[in-house]
Amino acid sequence: MDTQNAIAELLSSLGQRVTRSKSDLDLHARSESHFSAAPPDAVVYPETTAEVAQIVATCARHRVPVVGWGTGTSLEGQAQAFQGGIVVDFSRMNRILNVAQQDMTVTLQPGVTREALNDELRATGLFFPVDPGANASIGGMTSTRASGTTAVRYGTMRDNVLALEVVTASGEVIRTGTQARKSSSGYDLTGLFVGAEGTLGLITELTLRLHGQPEAISAAVCAFETVGDAVACVIDTIQCGVPMARIELMDVDSVRAVNAYAGMKLPEKPHLLLEFHGSPAGVTEQAESFGAIAADHAASGFDWATRTEDRTALWTMRHNAYYAILAARPGARAIVTDICVPISRLAQAIEETRTDLAEAGVDGPILGHVGDGNFHAVLLVDDSDPAEIERAKAASDRMVARSLALGGTATGEHGIGVGKLDYMQREHGAGWAVMGAIKQALDPDNIMNPGKLVPPRN
Amino acid sequence: MDTQNAIAELLSSLGQRVTRSKSDLDLHARSESHFSAAPPDAVVYPETTAEVAQIVATCARHRVPVVGWGTGTSLEGQAQAFQGGIVVDFSRMNRILNVAQQDMTVTLQPGVTREALNDELRATGLFFPVDPGANASIGGMTSTRASGTTAVRYGTMRDNVLALEVVTASGEVIRTGTQARKSSSGYDLTGLFVGAEGTLGLITELTLRLHGQPEAISAAVCAFETVGDAVACVIDTIQCGVPMARIELMDVDSVRAVNAYAGMKLPEKPHLLLEFHGSPAGVTEQAESFGAIAADHAASGFDWATRTEDRTALWTMRHNAYYAILAARPGARAIVTDICVPISRLAQAIEETRTDLAEAGVDGPILGHVGDGNFHAVLLVDDSDPAEIERAKAASDRMVARSLALGGTATGEHGIGVGKLDYMQREHGAGWAVMGAIKQALDPDNIMNPGKLVPPRN
Ligand SMILES: Cc1cc2nc3c(=O)[nH]c(=O)nc-3n(C[C@H](O)[C@H](O)[C@H](O)COP(=O)(O)OP(=O)(O)OC[C@H]3O[C@@H](n4cnc5c(N)ncnc54)[C@H](O)[C@@H]3O)c2cc1C
Ligand SMILES: Cc1cc2nc3c(=O)[nH]c(=O)nc-3n(C[C@H](O)[C@H](O)[C@H](O)COP(=O)(O)OP(=O)(O)OC[C@H]3O[C@@H](n4cnc5c(N)ncnc54)[C@H](O)[C@@H]3O)c2cc1C
């Protein structure tokens, strides 16, 4: 590894867009999670695919680690350069290249953020639905296979990325997929790079599927006596074919936190937050169907939000719930869990988790994308209390064990990075070695985001 | 390669389920396409995953090719053992293992056929939507990434396979994915095996997503003056968010063929065949929206089929269209094309293809899954006329070139096998070598369905 020579070469071609300033290294040292800071050796801001190819080729020649950086919101340390090397920050590759109105697709650079994309699309009648809450970059969302509140209706990044341009570990530029909506032409390389966390190459361009802005939208909250009732209501709703656009759970602890943080007055019970998309008549029909099912499960306190401002307030509350939970215990940090189970096992998984956390004395309000069977317990820890951190990590481990036993996964949407690496062998068994073989084949010198996702090299 | 010893070993453990009878070899020598027969050295009928693992391990030790076989309906020679070796026929692995009603999933063996699965599901209120027309096996459909008439609404096999059990090239058994609806845990191995045409391993078990049987269904046919009008109507319908369950095109030549074959009396114009799924009110609303849009494009001759028998007759006609086209020219064989383009380019692609075929003197009625931008010209050739075959193949080549120039793919749903191998470099460029590297990593001795999909080994 010859980091200094690699940086010198990059400086000579990219000049000021290679930086080693302390502030820049610090900014790229941390991510929004509990992992300790890890400054890279340099940060580079490419503006074109050719520059990215040149950066990777240089790093390949000198065997220097290359780590992509979108907005740094990933929660498992994915974007941190724990082995040093070059962080490639995509914030200057933020152009929307083409909105294909009839094809309902957009082609763009990876540094475009979710909100910037939807602002740009507003006038077209189209939108990009995947919504991880944070205003993440499309390249980062693709690389973590992100989803969020709308996946129950519109799918995850896996379902919404059609084609990619990728710089591989050798610095070669390839294209995967086409502009057509489907293809049976060979291995699904697009799908392989989605969720690869930058360990197989850097994404320099993407084509995404878009969806029509719904003619009518309505949203609601309602309360249930138990989490079990709320989940049973979700299951029945989905079984009846009501095409929910969003269906989110907050447990009592989360409700208390958002009440305190956002000045809400929700009853202290588990709640569902819902959104319906469709034609005006369709939305009315969906809401009525849902209302009838919810009544069967003793729902109460319905509050409807059909006006845009009220809906925005509702989802802002939901998106800020993470910060509301953090604020519930000043000074605390969060270990965020992310298990996802078959929906038939969801109530059990949540109830067992609540009991376990209570017994272990770990604070962990629960929020969930329950239509997908996915939920987060946000485990609050005092950074200066190693025993508490240990208790929280042990509780997180038990959650994963519970999820795997129920046929689920350690991570529904946040990904592996370093934080969930220890669960890979348990979840995938011999399949993890297959991932390692693919990594070895496509990145033989292990320069692309080393130390993440695949089995460690000897 | 030591085929005789491999067969001897298999005979000693599997007995009569290893066959070398001429009739069995002949049956597995051909597929429903224009490729010449290629009998394997033996056919094996495993009943369990352990047997499949043993078969592959034996073949690996002796470096003998292993080719999976579902029902042999693939159209590009995928299931033919052109290099000899062992065909693994999955027809005895045809058990449905578990229908998870609340999770809306089914776990089954690969030899279950699409129709058998839906027969089994009928009473559950659920169904499996992917419909390639042929009564193919789920393992084969997964391996060709099949789709068909309902993909516009329900997606392709890529979207509907949740988890797999796979025997890899070394004879090891791995599991990919989980029973949860989504996951961000590592590379998407499930997606890698879907569409791999048995070149990376044999699938021995699958979990599929199911969908609720729609409460109401209605279907219709209508005629347009031009293909351009029909396609414009499709684009507008999708843009308006009408959730079409099926939207299929037949050009004039196809309409003539089905009229003759099925005794229909459709006007000799391009037609759309449609199906709407939803609640009774929803279906009515969809049909009205479609009707209004179709009127804008001068549609005529609407014929509605709300009764089950009428709908069945309509889709039987569509599914038999391939045979109707073949029957239009007795003794002819078919070279089936399968391009898929961005839908904004679909009318252009179809019109240019029709003109080209007319000029080249090639018979090629056109059918299409137009909601996806995918269509087939069924090129009729006289097997004893090499010049005609040449003309048809040249026309097929030009279709692919046209598709790629328009941002599309050589194959929307049929796959590569040997028939489309020559287009891989053109479509994928350096990405094809990446596929080759993955193949090399997971099947270093090149025993899994050799000669298909990836670049030839030297
Ligand atoms: C408050 C909060 C709530 C969240 N809620 C959700 C949620 O509901 N659902 C959800 O899915 N996620 C959620 N997340 C996690 C986070 O938003 C996602 O992981 C997001 O996808 C990360 O995007 P990013 O642009 O910040 O990527 P980064 O964090 O910068 O990078 C993520 C990974 O992608 C790689 N990468 C970045 N750009 C590229 C590129 N161009 N090519 C190749 N690799 C690249 C990085 O190396 C890294 O491995 C939440 C995060 C926070 C802080
Ligand atoms: C009249 C007609 C119409 C058609 N229409 C359509 C259509 O509309 N849409 C569409 O998508 N297709 C269509 N097809 C093509 C065909 O139905 C599909 O390719 C189907 O998916 C093949 O399934 P099969 O079980 O016959 O597989 P086979 O032909 O037996 O095998 C296909 C491939 O899968 C491999 N394979 C089989 N089983 C396994 C396993 N268990 N593990 C690993 N590999 C395996 C084989 O080795 C081979 O490479 C049509 C075919 C016909 C004849």
Side-chain angles (χ1 to χ4, degrees):
Chain A
M1 195 194 306
D2 185 354
T3 312
Q4 297 319 316
N5 280 337
I7 293 174
E9 277 183 36
L10 293 174
L11 273 167
S12 79
S13 57
L14 297 169
Q16 298 211 325
R17 288 188 284 114
V18 182
T19 124
R20 318 185 68 173
S21 77
K22 180 158 179 351
S23 66
D24 234 337
L25 299 187
D26 282 352
L27 209 68
H28 293 86
R30 67 193 81 239
S31 59
E32 265 184 83
S33 57
H34 59 286
F35 304 100
S36 44
D41 291 296
V43 180
V44 191
Y45 295 88
E47 291 178 350
T48 64
T49 298
E51 287 180 357
V52 176
Q54 189 205 333
I55 293 164
V56 176
T58 301
C59 289
R61 221 172 320 109
H62 297 287
R63 312 235 163 145
V64 172
V66 186
V67 183
W69 182 280
T71 65
T73 68
S74 50
L75 294 165
E76 300 295 351
Q78 282 100 331
Q80 288 176 279
F82 293 109
Q83 303 186 13
I86 308 295
V87 159
V88 180
D89 182 316
F90 282 96
S91 56
R92 291 190 180 211
M93 288 183 68
N94 65 347
R95 281 185 308 132
I96 293 174
L97 303 172
N98 182 42
V99 178
Q101 187 90 28
Q102 289 197 316
D103 297 321
M104 301 175 77
T105 60
V106 60
T107 299
L108 41 60
Q109 291 185 315
V112 175
T113 65
R114 177 177 75 74
E115 289 177 7
L117 173 59
N118 279 320
D119 285 347
E120 183 75 21
L121 291 173
R122 194 140 299 143
T124 64
L126 300 170
F127 80 117
F128 184 67
V130 182
D131 170 23
N135 187 22
S137 75
I138 298 297
M141 288 165 61
T142 301
S143 300
T144 60
R145 205 183 292 128
S147 44
T149 57
T150 58
V152 63
R153 166 79 166 259
Y154 298 100
T156 71
M157 290 307 286
R158 175 183 198 271
D159 308 301
N160 286 288
V161 178
L162 262 184
L164 296 173
E165 179 186 74
V166 175
V167 174
T168 66
S170 62
E172 192 173 38
V173 181
I174 65 167
R175 286 190 170 271
T176 72
T178 71
Q179 303 297 304
R181 290 183 85 75
K182 65 179 192 184
S183 170
S184 281
S185 181
Y187 302 152
D188 182 8
L189 294 185
T190 305
L192 185 62
F193 287 104
V194 174
E197 301 186 348
T199 62
L200 298 175
L202 291 178
I203 298 167
T204 48
E205 192 183 298
L206 312 89
T207 299
L208 307 177
R209 295 176 90 130
L210 300 175
H211 299 261
Q213 288 169 17
E215 225 186 311
I217 303 182
S218 99
V221 285
C222 63
F224 292 82
E225 294 309 310
T226 66
V227 165
D229 288 333
V231 170
C233 175
V234 171
I235 293 177
D236 287 355
T237 305
I238 292 174
Q239 297 253 315
C240 286
V242 182
M244 303 303 302
R246 287 170 152 152
I247 189 157
E248 296 282 305
L249 175 81
M250 295 194 303
D251 78 347
V252 186
D253 296 328
S254 295
V255 167
R256 279 195 201 105
V258 301
N259 277 346
Y261 186 79
M264 309 283 296
K265 293 201 172 57
L266 298 175
E268 294 200 350
K269 293 180 177 180
H271 274 71
L272 289 181
L273 282 63
L274 315 153
E275 195 164 273
F276 306 94
H277 291 179
S279 66
V283 163
T284 305
E285 191 185 26
Q286 289 173 42
E288 280 167 5
S289 304
F290 177 80
I293 296 165
D296 284 348
H297 296 283
S300 61
F302 261 93
D303 193 0
W304 289 91
T306 36
R307 292 185 315 156
T308 309
E309 322 66 288
D310 299 340
R311 279 205 324 274
T312 307
L314 179 68
W315 296 114
T316 304
M317 167 187 87
R318 168 62 186 87
H319 284 148
N320 286 335
Y322 173 73
Y323 300 104
I325 291 168
L326 274 179
R329 192 166 147 197
R333 300 192 67 180
I335 295 177
V336 183
T337 63
D338 181 36
I339 67 174
C340 185
V341 298
I343 194 166
S344 61
R345 304 310 192 89
L346 181 60
Q348 179 187 353
I350 295 176
E351 291 296 7
E352 287 182 11
T353 299
R354 285 177 53 84
T355 306
D356 180 347
L357 294 177
E359 283 172 10
V362 176
D363 263 357
I366 287 176
L367 298 164
H369 310 304
V370 283
D372 305 321
N374 182 207
F375 70 94
H376 312 298
V378 182
L379 309 182
L380 295 174
V381 294
D382 176 345
D383 238 356
S384 65
D385 182 347
E388 188 176 52
I389 295 177
E390 265 325 295
R391 278 203 308 281
K393 286 197 172 156
S396 167
D397 277 16
R398 290 193 298 275
M399 281 181 71
V400 170
R402 196 172 294 128
S403 181
L404 300 184
L406 295 173
T409 175
T411 169
E413 55 180 22
H414 293 165
I416 301 303
V418 294
K420 299 272 191 289
L421 204 55
D422 284 347
Y423 305 134
M424 290 299 278
Q425 179 65 37
R426 252 200 268 171
E427 177 161 342
H428 300 284
W432 198 31
V434 172
M435 296 185 202
I438 294 170
K439 166 77 172 178
Q440 170 80 44
L442 303 193
D443 179 18
D445 291 327
N446 194 25
I447 62 163
M448 305 307 301
N449 208 0
K452 316 282 168 66
L453 197 150
V454 292
R457 297 270 175 95
N458 306 324
Chain B
M1 195 192 309
D2 186 353
T3 312
Q4 298 319 314
N5 280 337
I7 294 174
E9 278 183 36
L10 292 174
L11 274 168
S12 80
S13 57
L14 296 169
Q16 298 212 324
R17 287 187 284 114
V18 182
T19 125
R20 317 185 67 174
S21 78
K22 179 156 179 352
S23 66
D24 235 336
L25 298 187
D26 283 352
L27 210 67
H28 294 85
R30 70 192 80 238
S31 58
E32 263 182 87
S33 59
H34 59 286
F35 304 100
S36 43
D41 291 297
V43 180
V44 191
Y45 295 87
E47 291 178 350
T48 63
T49 298
E51 287 180 357
V52 176
Q54 188 206 335
I55 293 164
V56 177
T58 302
C59 289
R61 223 175 316 110
H62 297 286
R63 312 235 164 147
V64 173
V66 186
V67 183
W69 183 279
T71 65
T73 68
S74 51
L75 294 166
E76 301 295 350
Q78 281 100 332
Q80 287 176 280
F82 293 109
Q83 302 186 15
I86 308 295
V87 159
V88 181
D89 182 315
F90 283 96
S91 57
R92 289 190 181 210
M93 288 181 69
N94 65 348
R95 280 185 308 133
I96 294 174
L97 303 172
N98 182 42
V99 178
Q101 187 90 28
Q102 290 197 315
D103 297 321
M104 301 175 76
T105 60
V106 60
T107 299
L108 41 59
Q109 291 185 316
V112 176
T113 65
R114 177 177 74 76
E115 290 177 6
L117 173 58
N118 279 319
D119 285 348
E120 183 75 21
L121 291 174
R122 194 139 299 144
T124 64
L126 300 170
F127 80 118
F128 184 68
V130 183
D131 169 24
N135 187 22
S137 74
I138 298 297
M141 288 166 61
T142 300
S143 301
T144 61
R145 205 183 293 129
S147 45
T149 58
T150 58
V152 64
R153 167 79 166 259
Y154 298 99
T156 72
M157 291 307 286
R158 175 183 197 273
D159 308 300
N160 287 288
V161 178
L162 262 184
L164 296 173
E165 180 187 73
V166 176
V167 174
T168 66
S170 62
E172 191 172 38
V173 181
I174 65 167
R175 287 189 170 270
T176 72
T178 71
Q179 304 296 304
R181 291 182 84 75
K182 66 178 192 186
S183 170
S184 281
S185 181
Y187 302 152
D188 182 9
L189 295 184
T190 305
L192 185 63
F193 287 104
V194 174
E197 300 185 351
T199 62
L200 298 177
L202 291 178
I203 297 167
T204 49
E205 192 183 299
L206 313 89
T207 299
L208 307 177
R209 294 175 90 129
L210 300 175
H211 299 260
Q213 288 169 17
E215 224 188 311
I217 304 182
S218 101
V221 284
C222 63
F224 291 82
E225 294 309 311
T226 66
V227 164
D229 289 333
V231 171
C233 174
V234 172
I235 292 177
D236 287 354
T237 306
I238 292 173
Q239 296 252 315
C240 287
V242 181
M244 303 302 303
R246 287 170 153 153
I247 189 157
E248 297 280 307
L249 175 82
M250 294 193 304
D251 78 347
V252 185
D253 296 329
S254 294
V255 166
R256 279 196 201 105
V258 303
N259 277 347
Y261 185 78
M264 310 285 294
K265 293 202 172 56
L266 298 175
E268 295 200 349
K269 292 180 178 179
H271 275 70
L272 289 182
L273 283 64
L274 315 153
E275 196 163 272
F276 307 94
H277 291 179
S279 66
V283 162
T284 305
E285 191 186 25
Q286 290 173 42
E288 280 168 5
S289 304
F290 177 80
I293 296 166
D296 285 346
H297 297 282
S300 62
F302 262 93
D303 193 1
W304 290 91
T306 36
R307 291 185 316 154
T308 309
E309 326 59 293
D310 298 339
R311 278 205 325 273
T312 307
L314 179 69
W315 296 113
T316 304
M317 168 187 86
R318 168 63 187 86
H319 284 149
N320 287 334
Y322 173 74
Y323 299 104
I325 290 168
L326 274 179
R329 191 165 148 197
R333 299 191 68 180
I335 295 178
V336 183
T337 63
D338 180 36
I339 66 173
C340 185
V341 298
I343 194 166
S344 62
R345 305 310 193 88
L346 181 61
Q348 178 187 353
I350 296 176
E351 290 297 6
E352 286 182 12
T353 299
R354 285 178 52 85
T355 306
D356 179 348
L357 294 178
E359 283 173 10
V362 176
D363 265 358
I366 286 175
L367 298 164
H369 310 305
V370 283
D372 304 321
N374 182 208
F375 70 94
H376 312 299
V378 182
L379 309 183
L380 296 173
V381 294
D382 177 344
D383 238 358
S384 65
D385 182 345
E388 188 175 53
I389 295 177
E390 267 324 297
R391 277 203 307 282
K393 286 196 172 156
S396 166
D397 277 15
R398 290 192 299 275
M399 282 182 70
V400 170
R402 196 172 295 129
S403 181
L404 299 185
L406 295 173
T409 175
T411 169
E413 56 180 22
H414 292 165
I416 300 303
V418 294
K420 298 273 190 289
L421 203 55
D422 285 347
Y423 304 134
M424 290 299 278
Q425 179 65 37
R426 254 200 267 171
E427 177 161 340
H428 300 284
W432 199 30
V434 172
M435 296 185 203
I438 294 170
K439 166 78 171 177
Q440 169 80 45
L442 303 194
D443 179 18
D445 292 328
N446 196 23
I447 63 163
M448 305 307 299
N449 208 0
K452 317 283 167 66
L453 197 148
V454 292
R457 295 274 174 94
N458 305 326

